[in-house]
Amino acid sequence: MSNLFFYGVYLLRSQSPDKRYAGRCYIGFTVNPNRRIKQHNRGKDFGGAKRTSNKGPWQMIMIVHGFPNNIAALQFEWAWQQPALSTRLKQYSELRRKKPKESHFQYNFRILCHMLNVGPWNRLPLTIRWLESEYECDFLLKPPSHMQIVSGDVLLPKSQISQRKSGEESLAPQAIWAPECHLCMQRIENTERSRIGCTNSLCKLTTHLICLANYLLSSDESNRGHYIPIAGECPLCEEKFTWVALLERKRKLQDQCVEHIEEEDDDDDGFDSDSLMITVAQVILKPVGRNLAAIVISLQILIIVKNQTYATMI
């Protein structure tokens, strides 16, 4: 996994001694926050933005990350910069301009609070990260429960990989599988593509991917009309989890082939992401017995395995 798989949209605040620029804010997109803030503070000749050049020093106050791709992050950046022009935000007249006694930071934070509760962003597995503790404050509108609010420096995926190489073996996820789906009671024929379980390593939940997705969607009225669940509760052990966490655990299990099967399965437990691409293509091209939910969820698995990144919410 490389740094390019981190997609973040950040908020800067100027610490300039010049009253013309002090307290002004800037919103931008980055794949490397530490490098980006240095570029802003060194000026446009060193990769910084023209709008921030010679108007600092700048502080990166917060960053929103967890976007499935750079396009989603760039769309979020543009809407945050231009709420009056954004199709999703222009309906909120109160976001068009800053209030008289409102600071630039307070105004941009107010826009963010609304954005996190508006589709399609309210269904993404986003993380809101405070980078400067002195600015931390309560959200005017609480973000959806599946989003994380954290503090501290960003750890890029490349750094996480190096940590896993030294210590992940002892923390490798475990799985105990049954030969049949616990929801539809049918045998799981293609385990690489179809099988999924619980995030609880002691739970023996074994289901088809589409069966568990339909179960979670039907369990929550707010999911009506959607094809991908956000979060839910295990039907076996009642462990609460997010859909992204389930897919990430599935990927790790397939990467490491760390699993224990109660009954011998005819399928090969070896994993090859290229073969998965073929099976996903077969799902999409085979019209009988498949629906849009199955296609979308299969594409989620493909993206999380091939890119080693967050699941895409289509």
Side-chain angles (χ1 to χ4, degrees), residues 102-294:
E102 193 175 39
S103 69
H104 291 282
F105 164 70
Q106 290 170 335
Y107 173 53
N108 284 288
F109 183 65
R110 181 161 58 88
I111 296 172
L112 176 64
C113 290
H114 278 79
M115 290 181 68
L116 296 174
N117 286 278
V118 173
W121 306 305
N122 62 351
R123 295 188 64 81
L124 294 176
L126 300 177
T127 296
I128 304 98
R129 182 177 297 274
W130 292 101
L131 300 173
E132 296 292 339
S133 58
E134 61 186 288
Y135 292 97
E136 289 188 34
C137 56
D138 294 332
F139 282 75
L140 305 175
L141 294 174
K142 191 175 180 180
S145 58
H146 65 276
M147 294 185 184
Q148 299 183 63
I149 303 173
V150 299
S151 302
D153 295 336
V154 172
L155 183 64
L156 295 177
K158 186 175 181 180
S159 300
Q160 294 171 358
I161 286 283
S162 63
Q163 284 187 345
R164 285 204 296 266
K165 286 181 179 178
S166 61
E168 192 178 68
E169 289 184 4
S170 60
L171 300 174
Q174 303 290 326
I176 303 174
W177 300 114
E180 296 178 348
C181 173
H182 287 140
L183 294 175
C184 72
M185 303 308 293
Q186 299 295 314
R187 187 176 181 84
I188 300 177
E189 298 297 339
N190 191 325
T191 58
E192 286 183 0
R193 184 184 67 199
S194 303
R195 187 175 62 190
I196 199 167
C198 179
T199 54
N200 179 4
S201 60
L202 300 178
C203 180
K204 296 182 179 181
L205 178 71
T206 305
T207 72
H208 289 103
L209 192 65
I210 188 66
C211 289
L212 185 58
N214 287 334
Y215 172 83
L216 297 177
L217 288 170
S218 62
S219 301
D220 188 349
E221 291 185 0
S222 64
N223 282 320
R224 288 182 179 177
H226 294 284
Y227 294 104
I228 301 174
I230 292 178
E233 192 175 277
C234 174
L236 200 61
C237 72
E238 299 183 349
E239 171 96 86
K240 293 184 178 180
F241 47 66
T242 63
W243 186 248
V244 170
L246 283 179
L247 297 183
E248 182 67 13
R249 184 169 185 271
K250 178 178 176 62
R251 179 189 64 78
K252 289 180 179 179
L253 287 170
Q254 290 177 320
D255 283 351
Q256 299 167 2
C257 295
V258 179
E259 53 186 45
H260 180 75
I261 304 175
E262 289 186 329
E263 182 177 312
E264 186 176 353
D265 199 330
D266 293 331
D267 292 321
D268 183 8
D269 287 331
F271 173 70
D272 176 26
S273 59
D274 291 329
S275 66
L276 181 60
M277 292 184 70
I278 296 174
T279 59
V280 171
Q282 290 172 341
V283 171
I284 297 174
L285 295 174
K286 184 178 179 181
V288 180
R290 297 294 179 188
N291 53 32
L292 182 57

Side-chain angles (χ1 to χ4, degrees), residues 37-146:
I37 186 62
K38 291 177 183 177
Q39 290 175 328
H40 279 298
N41 283 323
R42 293 184 70 185
K44 63 180 181 180
D45 293 336
F46 297 90
K50 182 178 180 181
R51 287 179 55 195
T52 61
S53 189
N54 299 317
K55 297 175 182 178
W58 295 87
Q59 270 186 314
M60 191 174 287
I61 294 174
M62 64 189 308
I63 188 166
V64 180
H65 57 95
F67 296 95
N69 50 55
N70 61 339
I71 295 174
L74 288 167
Q75 290 173 338
F76 188 90
E77 174 202 25
W78 186 85
W80 196 358
Q81 292 172 340
Q82 308 286 345
L85 300 178
S86 168
T87 303
R88 304 286 181 174
L89 299 177
K90 63 183 180 182
Q91 60 181 307
Y92 301 103
S93 58
E94 67 271 23
L95 300 181
R96 293 178 183 174
R97 58 181 60 87
K98 186 172 71 69
K99 295 178 181 179
K101 294 184 179 181
E102 193 175 39
S103 69
H104 291 282
F105 164 70
Q106 290 170 335
Y107 173 53
N108 284 288
F109 183 65
R110 181 161 58 88
I111 296 172
L112 176 64
C113 290
H114 278 79
M115 290 181 68
L116 296 174
N117 286 278
V118 173
W121 306 305
N122 62 351
R123 295 188 64 81
L124 294 176
L126 300 177
T127 296
I128 304 98
R129 182 177 297 274
W130 292 101
L131 300 173
E132 296 292 339
S133 58
E134 61 186 288
Y135 292 97
E136 289 188 34
C137 56
D138 294 332
F139 282 75
L140 305 175
L141 294 174
K142 191 175 180 180
S145 58
H146 65 276

